[in-house]
Amino acid sequence: MIGLVFGRATTSSFSFTVNPENIPKFGEFVVTENRDGEDVLGVVKEVANLNKLIENEEFSFEYMLKHVGFSRSLIEMNDIVIATARVLGVVDGNDVRPNRIPIKPSSEVRLADSSLLQRLFRCNENSIVIGNLIARNDVEVGLDVRELVLRHFAILSITGSGKSNTACVMIDQIVRKFNGTVVLIDPHGEYVNFTFSDGTHKRRNVLPIGIRPETLEPWEFASLIGVSRDANVQRLHLERIFTTAKYEGYSGRRFVERILEIVESWIESIDREVVFYDYRGNKKLTTISRRDLDSLLRVRDYIMRFMSNHSDLLTEEDMLANMKTGYLNVVNLSGFDENQMRIIVSYILRNILRGRIRFKKGDLSSRNVCPIVEAPVLIVIEEGHIFAPKEDNEVVRWLSRIAREGRKFGVGIGIISQRPKKINDDILSQCNTKIVLKIVEPNDQRYVQNASEQISEDLLNDIASLGRGEAVIVGSAVKLPVAVKIKKYPEGYYGGGDIDVVGEWRKVNDRSKVFKDLNLIV
């Protein structure tokens, strides 16, 4: 026994006087009884130390110093430790159900047995080990993989709190333990050297970024090369030229080169009719007027600039065909601007979801375009606020559709971000499991709370006080909201760590000294 319930005790919280020889830690799990004699599980949210003899706030330092020394033993006898606990529910075998009966005053409070906590947070054959209870190092916490994938998840925190480490711990087990297929959207190239925890990288597949441009929609191609959304005349001409090149059967880099050739020929056809084919393959005529010249010249400039900077992106066998089932497929987007990243990611999302839908309906040919659609797919997106901001874009549309429909077809999403308040409300709210590491910015905290019904006010306070590598986890992948110390992924096995700023400065300084000495010798 560590204490006795006293004062006002409700169905949701209670306070208890603590045995000073066995003081529970903040976050510790305790058990007491309700008025029906049922065992109720709670978690300690506050521990306070009081002393009636010296609680007067008007006592000066000198008074305290003078009197405490003479009567220290008497004062220590009047020390009182009070703890407050939040009720989690009634213990029902290996589960916890809502508590409907008030806690009984004077009930004994005892520490929850580790065996009970192990049953509640256990790691079974369908789960991965994310870490240990902060309050109990001997209790592992498991996340249900089925719930993670089918009902989606988000990993949220400030920079440097352990988001990438958490993602690596999860991805490593999903791929190695379950032969899971993961597509990781990597905007900064941090995961291109990812190594699994067994020291191998055999199941890491870093994709050469390549798109078959003819498989894009005309508006996607226009956005890819940088044509503004409101440049209606430019987009109209480009759409007609795009469908013409597609009708003619061109592919890959040659497809874009053919578009450029047609643009050039239209520029030289002022006041003359030109032929184009619409999306149905119907042959049509249009007259190029002098008013069209400026728009065509701008389209030509966009294409030429794109070809100069990103022609390596164009291929006749794109990244979808190179994805592998049972692998971590890393989509390295470093080197592209944010708009181009979004075009590539929307292309991936669209084809994976459509491929899974067709495959589940019996169309096995969908594997020819994207082999991984033969099994469920988890798509993890680093820097989620880049791809799913509050304003609408194609990535947001496809992520929203996957969030709504992915469960039926085995497509899951995981969003990772250090700026939660910049993520689209609808998408974040549909990430059923949230792994929230330290967040100190109040607006971010409130935004996360509003996006999750299970984050209460006291959990919000817990999030602000977390240490590095610690997280509050809520949602369907765990039975109860829980504070966890995340497992540490091996150092050097991924690129998510901080740069050694001081070390690199010293190296530059050392090289400068060497060159200076050589100059003196010469």
Side-chain angles (χ1 to χ4, degrees):
M1 181 178 70
I2 63 169
L4 292 169
V5 176
F6 79 99
R8 185 172 183 267
T10 69
T11 58
S12 59
S13 66
F14 60 93
S15 297
F16 59 98
T17 56
V18 177
N19 179 351
E21 296 181 0
N22 197 359
I23 300 175
K25 298 178 181 178
F26 173 86
E28 180 61 272
F29 290 89
V30 294
V31 175
T32 188
E33 288 186 353
N34 62 20
R35 296 195 68 86
D36 281 355
E38 298 171 312
D39 281 345
V40 176
L41 182 68
V43 60
V44 175
K45 305 307 297 183
E46 185 180 70
V47 181
N49 206 10
L50 309 175
N51 193 298
K52 294 291 184 180
L53 295 182
I54 53 174
E55 69 175 354
N56 193 329
E57 297 176 357
E58 297 177 358
F59 287 163
S60 67
F61 173 75
E62 290 75 13
Y63 178 89
M64 293 283 291
L65 190 64
K66 178 180 178 180
H67 289 84
V68 166
F70 289 113
S71 55
R72 181 174 297 277
S73 59
L74 176 62
I75 290 173
E76 288 179 351
M77 289 174 59
N78 284 272
D79 276 351
I80 302 171
V81 181
I82 304 295
T84 302
R86 177 168 59 89
V87 172
L88 298 175
V90 175
V91 178
D92 189 3
N94 294 333
D95 211 341
V96 173
R97 55 180 170 79
N99 177 48
R100 311 295 187 191
I101 308 298
I103 303 302
K104 182 181 179 182
S106 77
S107 294
E108 291 186 359
V109 180
R110 59 190 186 277
L111 292 178
D113 291 337
S114 289
S115 59
L116 167 63
L117 299 177
Q118 287 164 355
R119 292 198 307 273
L120 293 176
F121 300 109
R122 70 184 184 281
C123 304
N124 56 31
E125 66 277 4
N126 296 321
S127 64
I128 58 174
V129 179
I130 192 64
N132 302 79
L133 292 179
I134 290 178
R136 300 281 185 97
N137 290 330
D138 60 331
V139 178
E140 291 183 333
V141 177
L143 299 181
D144 188 305
V145 172
R146 184 176 182 276
E147 293 296 319
L148 285 175
V149 175
L150 296 186
R151 287 173 175 78
H152 321 299
F153 67 89
I155 302 174
L156 309 169
S157 82
I158 61 172
T159 300
S161 290
K163 299 185 308 298
S164 297
N165 178 80
T166 304
C168 289
V169 169
M170 298 170 66
I171 290 169
D172 175 77
Q173 294 178 73
I174 288 171
V175 174
R176 293 180 60 238
K177 182 178 178 180
F178 296 95
N179 196 39
T181 302
V182 178
V183 175
L184 176 61
I185 306 301
D186 182 9
H188 303 307
E190 293 182 335
Y191 295 85
V192 294
N193 295 315
F194 181 91
T195 304
F196 289 96
S197 59
D198 61 0
T200 70
H201 48 76
K202 292 184 295 185
R203 300 179 76 176
R204 181 196 72 207
N205 178 31
V206 180
L207 297 162
I209 300 302
I211 288 180
R212 290 169 58 201
E214 72 278 8
T215 65
L216 296 173
E217 298 293 340
W219 57 263
E220 282 183 315
F221 181 77
S223 296
L224 181 65
I225 65 173
V227 179
S228 173
R229 280 180 174 268
D230 57 4
N232 297 326
V233 177
Q234 294 173 34
R235 286 190 169 236
L236 174 62
H237 288 311
L238 188 55
E239 178 179 347
R240 290 172 171 176
I241 294 169
F242 182 96
T243 54
T244 300
K246 187 169 183 176
Y247 174 79
E248 292 174 348
Y250 289 93
S251 180
R253 181 182 179 129
R254 186 70 188 96
F255 177 82
V256 181
E257 291 172 344
R258 177 55 181 156
I259 287 178
L260 187 57
E261 291 171 0
I262 298 173
V263 172
E264 294 278 9
S265 69
W266 285 21
I267 290 172
E268 296 172 359
S269 302
I270 300 300
D271 296 329
R272 298 203 303 268
E273 285 188 333
V274 294
V275 174
F276 71 92
Y277 292 87
D278 66 15
Y279 69 97
R280 293 177 177 171
N282 297 320
K283 183 178 179 180
K284 295 191 174 182
L285 296 174
T286 188
T287 300
I288 304 299
S289 70
R290 292 196 176 274
R291 289 178 300 177
D292 298 317
L293 183 58
D294 184 62
S295 294
L296 288 169
L297 287 171
R298 288 179 179 273
V299 168
R300 182 184 66 179
D301 290 344
Y302 283 126
I303 296 172
M304 292 177 67
R305 188 183 304 121
F306 176 80
M307 292 295 284
S308 174
N309 295 329
H310 299 298
S311 60
D312 290 344
L313 178 65
L314 306 172
T315 178
E316 293 186 19
E317 183 182 24
D318 67 7
M319 71 190 100
L320 294 170
N322 291 306
M323 291 182 177
K324 296 180 180 180
T325 304
Y327 276 67
L328 167 61
N329 298 277
V330 180
V331 181
N332 178 15
L333 295 177
S334 58
F336 295 100
D337 63 40
E338 290 186 4
N339 182 60
Q340 291 167 335
M341 287 183 187
R342 292 186 189 114
I343 296 296
I344 295 168
V345 172
S346 67
Y347 173 79
I348 291 170
L349 297 174
R350 170 165 56 91
N351 281 280
I352 288 178
L353 180 60
R354 285 180 174 175
R356 279 294 294 166
I357 292 172
R358 288 196 297 268
F359 183 83
K360 292 294 287 183
K361 291 182 177 180
D363 181 5
L364 303 185
S365 66
S366 57
R367 292 179 299 184
N368 298 334
V369 176
C370 185
I372 64 171
V373 300
E374 66 179 356
V377 179
L378 173 62
I379 304 169
V380 179
I381 302 179
E382 268 278 11
E383 305 292 352
H385 51 279
I386 294 176
F387 302 100
K390 290 187 177 297
E391 60 269 19
D392 189 36
N393 64 42
E394 281 306 306
V395 178
V396 168
R397 293 188 195 112
W398 283 103
L399 282 175
S400 296
R401 185 172 173 187
I402 291 173
R404 294 191 308 270
E405 303 176 20
R407 177 178 59 83
K408 296 181 288 187
F409 303 105
V411 181
I413 53 175
I415 303 292
I416 306 172
S417 177
Q418 73 266 22
R419 296 308 307 271
K421 69 181 179 184
K422 290 185 175 291
I423 299 176
N424 183 275
D425 307 50
D426 183 52
I427 291 171
L428 186 59
S429 65
Q430 292 189 76
C431 291
N432 195 276
T433 297
K434 293 179 178 66
I435 303 169
V436 187
L437 295 99
K438 187 179 183 71
I439 296 178
V440 295
E441 214 277 319
N443 290 334
D444 278 334
Q445 293 175 3
R446 289 297 173 192
Y447 187 69
V448 172
Q449 184 184 34
N450 292 337
S452 178
E453 297 176 355
Q454 293 179 292
I455 297 181
S456 58
E457 196 68 29
D458 58 343
L459 280 178
L460 204 63
N461 294 330
D462 293 352
I463 289 168
S465 64
L466 291 169
R468 182 168 182 169
E470 297 176 346
V472 168
I473 304 177
V474 299
S476 59
V478 287
K479 288 186 177 180
L480 298 167
V482 59
V484 178
K485 177 68 176 176
I486 305 294
K487 290 173 62 176
K488 188 76 177 71
Y489 203 71
E491 291 285 346
Y493 276 31
Y494 70 103
D498 294 336
I499 291 175
D500 182 7
V501 175
V502 175
E504 292 197 16
W505 278 339
R506 284 174 175 160
K507 286 179 183 178
V508 172
N509 187 49
D510 291 344
R511 285 197 297 269
S512 299
K513 287 181 179 178
V514 170
F515 287 126
K516 183 177 181 181
D517 292 343
L518 286 174
N519 289 333
L520 290 173
I521 293 171
V522 173

